[in-house]
Amino acid sequence: AELGTTIMKSGGDYAYILEVYGSLVAFLKLWIELLIIRPSSQYIVALVFATYIIKPAFPSCPVPEDGAKLVACMCILFLTAVNCYSVKAATRVQDIFAAAKLLALFMIIILGFVQICKGDTPYLEPKRAFEGTTTDVGKAVLAVYSGLFAFGGWNYLNFVTEEMIEPFKNLPRAIMISMPVVTVVYVLTNLAYFTTLSPETMLHSEAVAVDFGNIHLGVMSWIVPVFVGLSCFGSVNGSLFTSSRLFFVGAREGHLPNLLSMIHPKHYTPVPSLVFTCAMTLLYAFSVDIYSVINFFSFFNWLCIALAIIGMMWLRYKRPEMERPIKFNIILPITFVLACFFLIVVSIWMTPVECAIGFAIILSGIPVYYIGVHWKNKPTWLVNTFNSMTIFSQKVLEVVPQSSE
């Protein structure tokens, strides 16, 4: 909230890193976001949506992988079209499907409390609740990464700060309301699962909520997968919305092709950036083990968040004259940064090979930066080629630079 109201730019962590650490570090953040983090996370959620929607048709056998991938791709294409058509339509989709998400979760929570009231909760008994628990700190941290993935989106509003109404008031208000609500709802939902399902069942289940609903709702069990699928549908929409704004801002800063910073003159939507986001996400349909990227780049994601918070503290010292409508006690950011570095260090210690591969991919962005961004005196033929491609794409997509009337 403090960063979002001090540096009034869309783009989230990318914009803050650019302000504090300069162009190269910000580009590397953007490089991994566009190459790995954003498209992979969007495709994973779309695949979960597809699995839940299809699962009722395959109650006694696994969901066909190709079928789930096809539905996931259709979901991404449809939501991209909605986002290209209208910002209002995209936000309306977000509101409707967020309500569907809460309705599904409240249904699961109520069923869980009914089980607790009946006293039939063998998997919550102390002797079984922690059965098989490991005291390995490294494994616990890797588990935390997967848990934090479920909370992805907690900083999405900072990616669209420039489009918010009264961000000084609404940004901190949204954070203070949403974070406690999401935390309580997610904890109670998992508690409800454990009233009925064993840890082993949950680990091997394709769709935990479906198994939970099958036990409690009988012929109406289809309600749970449908509503959970709809909630994932809304999550994909929100991710596409913010990802396109991230790449839009990156192009505006000169880190991506100029075309991505253009908007539709009638709909006021960043169509090229949305199409680019969609294309990058669809490429992950060809991935064999997409879930492995969570461990590959979670450490980098939290490193960037830590750098952004360190930058906030640096700006307090270096530029005290900056307007700060919101200012937190210094103990809070220091504690947050220490927690981030703890996660990062343990992740590197536990999965050195994966992290080394991750670092190699990050460093691959350096030559791309120097060739594409830092190199200003490119050959005339190359510049003319890019200009021709940009003009052609403008005509096809019917977009203009943001500053155009």
Side-chain angles (χ1 to χ4, degrees):
E2 181 175 335
L3 274 169
T5 53
T6 302
I7 303 173
M8 291 294 296
K9 291 182 179 180
S10 295
D13 301 330
Y14 163 75
Y16 312 143
I17 289 172
L18 178 63
E19 181 78 19
V20 177
Y21 301 99
S23 183
L24 176 58
V25 180
F27 177 83
L28 293 179
K29 162 68 173 173
L30 187 64
W31 174 248
I32 295 303
E33 288 280 357
L34 72 87
L35 204 63
I36 306 289
I37 295 175
R38 288 298 177 141
S40 66
S41 62
Q42 284 156 192
Y43 182 74
I44 286 172
V45 179
L47 195 59
V48 173
F49 157 76
T51 302
Y52 271 97
I53 290 296
I54 297 174
K55 185 60 180 175
F58 301 91
S60 58
C61 62
V63 172
E65 184 179 352
D66 290 341
K69 286 187 174 185
L70 178 61
V71 173
C73 292
M74 291 171 63
C75 163
I76 293 161
L77 288 167
F78 175 76
L79 287 174
T80 300
V82 170
N83 277 268
C84 287
Y85 175 72
S86 168
V87 173
K88 185 177 289 186
T91 54
R92 193 164 295 168
V93 166
Q94 193 63 31
D95 293 341
I96 292 170
F97 287 96
K101 175 187 293 187
L102 287 174
L103 185 59
L105 293 174
F106 282 139
M107 186 187 305
I108 292 169
I109 290 168
I110 290 170
L111 291 172
F113 273 108
V114 170
Q115 281 295 105
I116 292 174
C117 291
K118 289 179 179 178
D120 185 19
T121 55
Y123 304 115
L124 291 180
E125 294 177 4
K127 63 180 180 180
R128 298 196 64 180
F130 297 98
E131 188 177 0
T133 298
T134 178
T135 56
D136 190 318
V137 176
K139 291 182 179 179
V141 169
L142 293 180
V144 168
Y145 273 140
S146 294
L148 291 171
F149 181 81
F151 285 87
W154 61 274
N155 59 347
Y156 276 8
L157 271 181
N158 290 67
F159 287 87
V160 292
T161 306
E162 296 172 23
E163 298 179 54
M164 287 186 68
I165 299 171
E166 297 186 83
F168 293 153
K169 182 191 297 182
N170 290 327
L171 181 60
R173 180 184 292 172
I175 293 172
M176 286 187 288
I177 293 173
S178 63
M179 287 304 294
V181 170
V182 170
T183 302
V184 170
V185 169
Y186 275 26
V187 169
L188 291 179
T189 301
N190 281 279
L191 178 66
Y193 287 149
F194 280 110
T195 63
T196 305
L197 304 174
S198 68
E200 293 78 15
T201 301
M202 292 176 66
L203 283 171
H204 295 98
S205 173
E206 278 189 310
V208 175
V210 172
D211 292 341
F212 183 86
N214 287 339
I215 294 171
H216 290 290
L217 297 175
V219 294
M220 297 299 291
S221 60
W222 59 269
I223 293 175
V224 173
V226 168
F227 273 97
V228 174
L230 293 178
S231 76
C232 293
F233 189 81
S235 297
V236 176
N237 179 71
S239 185
L240 283 170
F241 186 88
T242 55
S243 296
S244 63
R245 270 58 181 182
L246 171 61
F247 303 145
F248 172 85
V249 173
R252 192 175 63 186
E253 298 293 341
H255 286 165
L256 291 175
N258 186 46
L259 177 68
L260 299 184
S261 67
M262 297 184 185
I263 61 174
H264 195 282
K266 181 180 178 181
H267 302 306
Y268 303 107
T269 53
V271 174
S273 185
L274 282 161
V275 172
F276 174 75
T277 304
C278 175
M280 291 298 296
T281 304
L282 291 176
L283 287 175
Y284 277 85
F286 300 100
S287 174
V288 177
D289 184 18
I290 189 172
Y291 292 94
S292 63
V293 301
I294 296 176
N295 289 337
F296 269 83
F297 290 99
S298 287
F299 79 94
F300 179 72
N301 190 39
W302 285 98
L303 175 61
C304 290
I305 292 170
L307 288 175
I309 303 301
I310 292 171
M312 181 195 77
M313 294 186 285
W314 172 252
L315 288 174
R316 281 191 187 185
Y317 167 74
K318 198 70 175 178
R319 297 170 63 181
E321 75 285 353
M322 290 183 73
E323 185 179 357
R324 292 176 175 82
I326 300 169
K327 190 174 182 179
F328 290 97
N329 188 296
I330 194 67
I331 295 174
L332 182 61
I334 289 175
T335 304
F336 185 85
V337 168
L338 290 176
C340 287
F341 278 119
F342 174 74
L343 291 174
I344 294 162
V345 170
V346 175
S347 176
I348 295 172
W349 170 48
M350 284 298 298
T351 56
V353 175
E354 289 86 347
C355 289
I357 295 171
F359 270 118
I361 297 174
I362 293 165
L363 295 177
S364 70
I366 295 177
V368 177
Y369 171 79
Y370 278 103
I371 294 171
V373 180
H374 187 73
W375 183 24
K376 302 298 182 183
N377 300 320
K378 295 181 179 68
T380 305
W381 66 268
L382 186 60
V383 174
N384 290 339
T385 301
F386 278 117
N387 287 341
S388 298
M389 293 171 62
T390 300
I391 293 170
F392 174 77
S393 300
Q394 277 187 264
K395 292 177 180 178
V396 172
L397 299 173
E398 297 182 351
V399 293
V400 295
Q402 187 184 17
S403 58
S404 296
E405 294 295 331

